[in-house]
Amino acid sequence: MNDWPEGWSGDNRGPRYGRGSAGARPEGARVMRQVRRGGPAPAGHGGYGGPGGPSAPPYGVPQQPSYVDGRGYDAPGGDHGYDNGYNTGHVYGGRTGGPGGPGGGYAHGSRPAPNWGRRIKLTAITLVTVLLVTTVATYFWADSKLNRAVDLSKVIDRPETGKGTNYLIVGSDSREGMSAEEKKKLHTGSAAGKRTDSMMILHVGSNGDTLISLPRDSNVTIPQFRGSESGKLRGPLGQNKLNAAYAFDGPELLVRTVEYNTGLHIDHYVEIGFAGFANIVDAVGGVELTLDKGFKDKYSGADFQAGKQKLDGQQALAFVRTRHAFAASDLERTKNQQKFLAALAHQVATPSTVMNPFKLYPTMGAGLDSLIVDKDMSLWNLASMFWALKNVSGGDGTSMNMPISGSSGGNLVWDKAKVKTLVDELKNDQKVTVTGN
């Protein structure tokens, strides 16, 4: 037996407000007109506006006819076929465009599909912006760390500029800033001042890059020069070892002496000391080298076995400083210096360093903190120099010693004819045909 009031179905029970309704609660007395078939509605059970029935809802639902036998009583003849939508399941008060509504739409509680094209575009713009800001910030950070202390405008009587770019790369034995413990660990001693342990000319050009070592014991003429501090003309100082020029008046006189004895214009100057060199090697995680023969040197602390090995900062410094272990002394040392410097540049340029900010920034910081360069040196020039060193180590360039013809008083004498040919080829950015010792 049905316990519900007459004319009510099970769908009218409790708080269920009609299928398709989008409202969480009814707006007023939203009750569907009762449909009774087979006779007039009993008293007290009329529709809206009928005797005993509720008043019409305030939200504009049109007055509906009562139905008897399925036809509207107010239609002439009772057969207008009036369809108010209830017989198809439509209920007034639902969301326009909701399920079954006039425009369809998404179901209640669902969300529109994400616009992936817009999301990808915004992500790409964000990444590009971050990359641009990082790059610009890194550039200004690195540029601010360069120590541009060498003024090449003080160099007098300079040769004409040739094709390509020429760097004078100098490794000094400066102990500045090193503690007693560091000096002991790196076997540097405690000599005052600083001298040049290594000097190289790097020519960067369109016909291959060339790295030329200048033995520190080379016999050269130290010409007249303008004092870097006094600004007064001094000299000439006559015949002496090449590294004596640096000891007399620093980088400017060294550049003046190299240019005077070669006729090659030096465009940029780069110098690095003992501690800085070791720090760069450690920051990059060490440098791999393959040695044909092992050697020991108590003066530099070198102790190496033959074969492939990775050198840390301390070992690297010992490797490039060793000369007493070799019969060719300084000439063999310059070859090792070239070999290691090229390997270091290659290691710095590897993806494992460049793409890893936790390795790249410490390496850049260690290098930039250690370098002394000329006032016109830019980061672009510095990057070009390191890239050229990498090319030399990869076989795309030439590495050699300055051609030597003999010795005089223990100093090495350059082969003037070969040096002239070499310099002419470099000036004109031609393929180098001259070979060195």
Side-chain angles (χ1 to χ4, degrees):
M1 180 176 179
N2 191 346
D3 294 330
W4 295 95
E6 184 180 358
W8 285 41
S9 66
D11 290 340
N12 301 111
R13 289 173 287 180
R16 300 173 63 179
Y17 307 115
R19 295 191 182 96
S21 174
R25 296 184 61 85
E27 297 177 334
R30 187 179 305 175
V31 180
M32 186 173 66
R33 179 185 302 280
Q34 300 176 28
V35 178
R36 178 179 296 275
R37 301 188 183 274
H45 293 278
Y48 291 127
S55 62
Y59 46 83
V61 177
Q63 180 71 33
Q64 304 298 325
S66 61
Y67 278 76
V68 179
D69 295 332
R71 294 180 294 180
Y73 68 88
D74 55 349
D79 194 20
H80 277 203
Y82 182 86
D83 184 3
N84 62 8
Y86 287 117
N87 59 346
T88 58
H90 295 188
V91 179
Y92 284 98
R95 184 197 339 228
T96 301
Y106 56 87
H108 177 62
S110 66
R111 298 178 179 175
N115 189 335
W116 288 108
R118 184 171 180 271
R119 290 188 179 185
I120 292 173
K121 183 178 179 180
L122 289 175
T123 301
I125 292 174
T126 301
L127 290 176
V128 170
T129 302
V130 170
L131 180 60
L132 181 61
V133 170
T134 302
T135 301
V136 172
T138 299
Y139 175 86
F140 283 105
W141 166 77
D143 188 72
S144 67
K145 293 178 76 67
L146 272 181
N147 183 10
R148 297 180 173 94
V150 179
D151 188 356
L152 296 183
S153 68
K154 296 179 180 179
V155 180
I156 63 173
D157 300 332
R158 308 195 67 185
E160 292 183 2
T161 302
K163 297 179 180 178
T165 304
N166 299 311
Y167 298 84
L168 181 60
I169 303 173
V170 175
S172 78
D173 65 357
S174 172
R175 284 87 170 167
E176 184 177 352
M178 295 176 63
S179 65
E181 183 180 352
E182 288 174 324
K183 292 176 183 178
K184 182 178 180 180
K185 176 183 176 182
L186 298 176
H187 298 271
T188 64
S190 299
K194 60 180 181 179
R195 289 153 293 278
T196 51
D197 254 21
S198 61
M199 291 160 283
M200 304 177 192
I201 294 174
L202 174 65
H203 174 80
V204 179
S206 57
N207 281 301
D209 305 315
T210 305
L211 184 62
I212 307 163
S213 284
L214 310 176
R216 73 172 194 170
D217 294 337
S218 297
N219 191 69
V220 297
T221 299
I222 300 179
Q224 186 181 46
F225 63 98
R226 187 178 302 280
S228 59
E229 296 296 332
S230 67
K232 297 179 180 180
L233 290 177
R234 299 178 58 188
L237 301 179
Q239 298 294 304
N240 211 318
K241 292 182 178 181
L242 178 59
N243 69 338
Y246 185 96
F248 284 143
D249 199 52
E252 289 86 357
L253 179 55
L254 178 60
V255 171
R256 164 76 172 135
T257 302
V258 170
E259 290 187 339
Y260 180 86
N261 286 271
T262 63
L264 187 68
H265 182 92
I266 300 299
D267 298 292
H268 294 291
Y269 177 91
V270 181
E271 177 185 329
I272 186 169
F274 279 166
F277 180 81
N279 290 339
I280 293 174
V281 175
D282 286 336
V284 82
V287 176
E288 287 189 350
L289 280 181
T290 300
L291 305 181
D292 297 330
K293 295 186 297 183
F295 58 87
K296 292 183 179 182
D297 181 14
K298 66 178 182 179
Y299 297 100
S300 66
D303 185 2
F304 298 106
Q305 303 296 320
K308 186 176 182 179
Q309 52 208 286
K310 177 175 282 191
L311 278 59
D312 61 18
Q314 177 184 346
Q315 294 170 320
L317 187 58
F319 179 79
V320 299
R321 294 182 61 220
T322 298
R323 62 172 178 152
H324 297 285
F326 311 123
S329 187
D330 203 36
L331 289 177
E332 187 66 27
R333 176 168 70 169
T334 56
K335 292 180 181 178
N336 283 342
Q337 289 171 347
Q338 286 185 352
K339 182 176 183 178
F340 187 85
L341 190 58
L344 174 60
H346 179 78
Q347 179 66 30
V348 170
T350 57
S352 62
T353 300
V354 175
M355 303 302 292
N356 183 357
F358 297 102
K359 184 180 288 187
L360 175 63
Y361 284 96
T363 301
M364 289 178 62
L368 294 170
D369 283 339
S370 308
L371 297 180
I372 299 174
V373 300
D374 64 274
K375 293 184 180 298
D376 294 327
M377 177 73 79
S378 69
L379 289 177
W380 174 258
N381 297 138
L382 201 59
S384 176
M385 183 192 78
F386 276 102
W387 192 259
L389 289 171
K390 177 181 179 295
N391 289 341
V392 171
S393 71
D396 294 333
T398 301
S399 60
M400 57 184 289
N401 276 322
M402 186 64 80
I404 303 297
S405 61
S407 63
S408 174
N411 296 340
L412 299 172
V413 178
W414 293 355
D415 187 322
K416 292 183 179 180
K418 286 187 175 182
V419 169
K420 184 179 185 308
T421 302
L422 173 63
V423 170
D424 287 342
E425 290 174 341
L426 295 177
K427 278 185 174 182
N428 295 296
D429 199 18
Q430 298 172 341
K431 183 72 175 179
V432 171
T433 61
V434 178
T435 57
N437 299 74

